[in-house]
Amino acid sequence: MTPQPPENQDKGHSGTGAGGRWSDLERPPLNRTALRRALLRPGALWTDVDVVPATGSTNTDLTARAAAGLSEGAVLVAEEQSAARGRLDRRWSAPPRSGLFFSFYLTPKVPVERWGWLPLLAGVATASAVARTAGVDTALKWPNDLLVTVGDEERKAGGILAERAGDGVVIGIGLNVTLRAEELPVPGAGSLVLAGAKVTDRDPLLRAVLRSVEDWYGQWTAADGDAAACRLQDAYAAGCATLGRTVRAQLPGDRELRGEAVAIDGDGRLVLATEEGMQRPVDAGDIVHLRPAGQE
């Protein structure tokens, strides 16, 4: 789909047919002008906010723009993504305007070896903003799935993907907002509305997340990327549902490690205490929360 010109992006699609502005009254389009007015100001982190009706992947698009030269603080939001990717190249699908699908570009002036904290920072910022704005209890599954509770079941409602691009990093966030049960892509998925959210208007949710990212990013960069000094490490650990649980880490090279998740170390790695009495840091891999013994 070809992106609309700026004068039409705030008005949505014309008409009342499929894809029209009022074809789903519960899912109105985002207002780019209002978002820009609220987020772009002198001295702010955010330097541009673009909203497109549809794209393959906001991460892919912003990465391409970064290669051609892009200012820090550019934000790209899509009402619909047809080729969105999560961690390990998993697909992320959702109906148009049913969630928040956006990416932003950062060029941290901190040591590169500390950039690994960026996706965790985005997770803390997103979880706290959603809890505060939507009134939904949230938790983080390491490295960066956003969990909500639907009934008595823990479900994934959002995910974060960070990729090196140009001189910086593109961070993409996908968050299910109004997905109904019959629209969930997989049985273990969830959404804010299914978790009992008091607010499902995407405009204030998006503003809250971006302001929270700006706040945490400012603290982190002021501390030269030291996650302990700016209390990012503590905040992530406090909101991490993985800690204290027995997990299975599926590692690169078809390797597997089981143990109790006991800490988030200074590099943002998950530390597992194995049955052999060793503590093993995991810096990459897919984490499975295991049920109590005998119930797997």
Side-chain angles (χ1 to χ4, degrees):
M1 181 182 293
T2 302
Q4 295 179 311
E7 63 269 24
N8 291 334
Q9 288 180 346
D10 298 331
K11 301 175 182 177
H13 301 286
S14 60
T16 58
R21 177 181 174 94
W22 306 117
S23 60
D24 189 337
L25 296 178
E26 295 181 359
R27 293 172 176 167
L30 292 166
N31 186 317
R32 189 184 71 166
T33 298
L35 288 170
R36 291 172 62 88
R37 186 182 302 120
L39 295 167
L40 307 186
R41 62 186 190 280
L45 172 62
W46 309 118
T47 55
D48 185 40
V49 177
D50 193 12
V51 180
V52 297
T55 190
S57 161
T58 56
N59 256 38
T60 298
D61 292 353
L62 212 56
T63 296
R65 295 185 189 183
L70 188 66
S71 298
E72 181 177 48
V75 181
L76 176 62
V77 189
E79 298 283 29
E80 179 182 12
Q81 291 189 108
S82 60
R85 293 172 291 112
R87 292 187 62 255
L88 307 179
D89 285 328
R90 293 193 178 101
R91 297 296 294 273
W92 181 284
S93 61
R97 304 185 305 281
S98 65
L100 291 174
F101 322 113
F102 62 101
S103 300
F104 48 87
Y105 183 59
L106 301 175
T107 56
K109 304 301 188 290
V110 304
V112 174
E113 59 268 24
R114 292 177 172 174
W115 287 18
W117 273 100
L118 282 170
L120 281 72
L121 182 155
V124 168
T126 301
S128 60
V130 167
R132 183 173 60 251
T133 307
V136 171
D137 288 335
T138 59
L140 293 164
K141 176 186 173 187
W142 189 92
N144 262 328
D145 287 345
L146 182 70
L147 305 178
V148 297
T149 301
V150 179
D152 59 356
E153 185 179 358
E154 193 176 66
R155 297 193 185 184
K156 176 180 175 179
I160 295 167
L161 179 67
E163 301 178 285
R164 287 293 299 268
D167 296 324
V169 179
V170 169
I171 299 178
I173 298 177
L175 179 65
N176 292 338
V177 178
T178 61
L179 267 78
R180 309 168 185 110
E182 65 273 14
E183 295 174 320
L184 297 174
V186 294
S191 68
L192 299 189
V193 72
L194 292 176
K198 298 177 182 177
V199 173
T200 56
D201 186 338
R202 294 177 305 142
D203 272 274
L205 284 170
L206 179 58
R207 296 181 200 183
V209 171
L210 289 173
R211 286 169 175 157
S212 186
V213 170
E214 180 175 15
D215 180 51
W216 275 108
Y217 184 68
Q219 295 181 54
W220 179 71
T221 54
D224 199 31
D226 187 331
C230 68
R231 303 194 64 79
L232 174 60
Q233 185 176 357
D234 288 344
Y236 189 91
C240 183
T242 304
L243 293 180
R245 300 173 74 157
T246 300
V247 303
R248 180 175 70 246
Q250 297 170 330
L251 307 176
D254 293 326
R255 295 178 297 123
E256 183 177 294
L257 181 66
R258 291 190 181 218
E260 181 185 353
V262 295
I264 303 295
D265 73 8
D267 294 318
R269 300 177 299 180
L270 181 68
V271 180
L272 300 186
T274 67
E275 292 180 353
E276 294 78 20
M278 300 178 60
Q279 293 204 349
R280 297 276 301 276
V282 176
D283 58 8
D286 198 25
I287 299 297
V288 179
H289 290 174
L290 300 179
R291 298 184 179 90
Q295 298 183 27
E296 294 183 27

